[in-house]
């Protein structure tokens, strides 16, 4: 009975969160697309490119960006170690605690970045409508994935014996295999990791194109060493 209630709440929270982030993404994406199209139109009217195209992000957004990347790598590594340890029946509470804390930090940084994105605003688009659309879509997709990844991890704790093991500090309760209500959120969590890696790879390919093929200096937007940039 309790497991059924937990599972119902799990799907309710997942659905509500998914609807919320999709609505947020849709509104933000439409707003950024409109800004991109207006910026491109203005560039055509003035006969040149947007003079603020390489205006940097605020220092705190840049800091959060690199911290999130570093924590993502750490969290992925800790999760990979946990998978091997669980298969070998040698998982520890320390490993789970570290993974949970790192994942929670990623969620916190993601929410902070979304907040500062609204407060500090983002630099104007480059003026290439299609590229701006793709870049905006990838960014919002990353936000959605990071939030859902953290949520699915949290629900895995609630619906499996991992949460109880961490709560009572008893490594003997750690599962060697997920069963019952914990199967679905854990499967979702692992699937989202794969999707996130794919999207991050797309993001990196875009950065490489700008930096080494187009050579437009786009990476300066994410540099902590800049002069005359936005104040935090």
């Amino acid at each position: 009975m309790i497991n059924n209630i937990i599972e119902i709440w799990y799907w309710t929270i997942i659905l509500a969160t998914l609807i919320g982030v999709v609505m947020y993404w849709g509104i933000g994406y439409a707003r950024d697309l409109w800004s991109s199209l207006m910026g491109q139109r203005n560039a055509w009217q003035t006969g040149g490119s947007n003079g603020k195209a390489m205006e940097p992000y605020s220092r705190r957004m840049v800091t959060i960006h690199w911290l999130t990347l570093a924590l993502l790598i750490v969290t992925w590594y800790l999760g990979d170690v946990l998978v091997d340890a669980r298969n070998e029946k040698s998982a520890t509470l320390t490993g789970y605690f570290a993974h949970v804390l790192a994942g929670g930090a990623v969620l916190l940084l993601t929410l902070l970045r979304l907040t500062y994105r609204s407060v500090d605003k983002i630099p104007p688009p480059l003026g290439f409508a299609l590229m701006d659309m793709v870049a905006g879509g990838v960014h919002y997709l990353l936000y959605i994935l990071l939030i859902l990844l953290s949520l699915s991890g949290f629900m895995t704790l609630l619906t499996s014996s991992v949460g109880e093991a961490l709560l009572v500090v008893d490594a003997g309760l750690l599962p060697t295999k997920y069963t019952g209500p914990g199967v679905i959120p854990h499967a979702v969590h692992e699937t989202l990791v794969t999707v996130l890696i794919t999207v991050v790879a797309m993001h990196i390919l875009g950065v490489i194109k700008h930096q080494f093929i187009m050579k437009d200096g786009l990476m300066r937007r994410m540099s902590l060493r800049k002069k005359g940039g936005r104040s935090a």
Side-chain angles (χ1 to χ4, degrees), residues 163-199:
E164 184 180 358
L166 296 180
L167 186 62
V168 300
V169 194
D170 183 358
L173 296 175
L174 292 175
T176 56
K177 183 179 180 181
Y178 286 95
T179 58
V183 171
I184 295 177
H186 180 254
V188 170
H189 191 66
E190 289 194 326
T191 301
L192 288 174
V193 170
T194 303
V195 176
L196 178 63
I197 291 174
T198 302
V199 176

Side-chain angles (χ1 to χ4, degrees), residues 6-18:
I6 292 176
E7 191 167 359
I8 291 173
W9 272 107
Y10 165 72
W11 285 112
T12 301
I13 294 173
I14 283 288
L15 182 60
T17 302
L18 185 59

Side-chain angles (χ1 to χ4, degrees), residues 42-213:
N42 292 336
W44 287 341
Q45 290 176 345
T46 57
S49 61
N50 192 334
K52 297 182 179 180
M54 290 309 148
E55 182 180 351
Y57 286 91
S58 67
R59 183 171 294 274
R60 58 188 177 187
M61 284 191 68
V62 174
T63 301
I64 288 175
H65 173 274
W66 294 115
L67 282 177
T68 302
L69 176 60
L71 276 172
L72 269 178
I73 295 173
V74 171
T75 307
W76 170 81
Y77 173 76
L78 291 173
D80 195 53
V81 170
L82 276 179
V83 171
D84 292 337
R86 190 169 58 248
N87 292 336
E88 297 172 1
K89 300 182 180 180
S90 59
T92 64
L93 290 173
T94 301
Y96 275 98
F97 270 122
H99 184 63
V100 170
L101 289 176
V106 169
L107 176 60
L108 177 61
L109 288 175
T110 301
L111 296 177
L112 281 175
R113 184 169 179 176
L114 285 172
T115 300
Y116 292 146
R117 183 183 177 92
S118 299
V119 174
D120 298 345
K121 305 303 180 184
I122 60 175
L126 294 177
F128 303 102
L130 180 59
M131 292 179 62
D132 291 333
M133 287 173 59
V134 173
V138 169
H139 276 99
Y140 279 107
L141 183 56
L142 282 171
Y143 296 142
I144 291 174
L145 287 172
L146 289 174
I147 292 173
L148 291 181
L149 192 63
S150 300
L151 182 61
S152 61
F154 177 68
M155 294 310 300
T156 300
L157 289 180
L158 292 182
T159 57
S160 70
S161 59
V162 174
E164 184 180 358
L166 296 180
L167 186 62
V168 300
V169 194
D170 183 358
L173 296 175
L174 292 175
T176 56
K177 183 179 180 181
Y178 286 95
T179 58
V183 171
I184 295 177
H186 180 254
V188 170
H189 191 66
E190 289 194 326
T191 301
L192 288 174
V193 170
T194 303
V195 176
L196 178 63
I197 291 174
T198 302
V199 176
V200 169
M202 291 173 55
H203 183 56
I204 293 174
L205 288 175
V207 171
I208 292 174
K209 178 180 179 181
H210 278 284
Q211 188 69 16
F212 299 105
I213 298 178

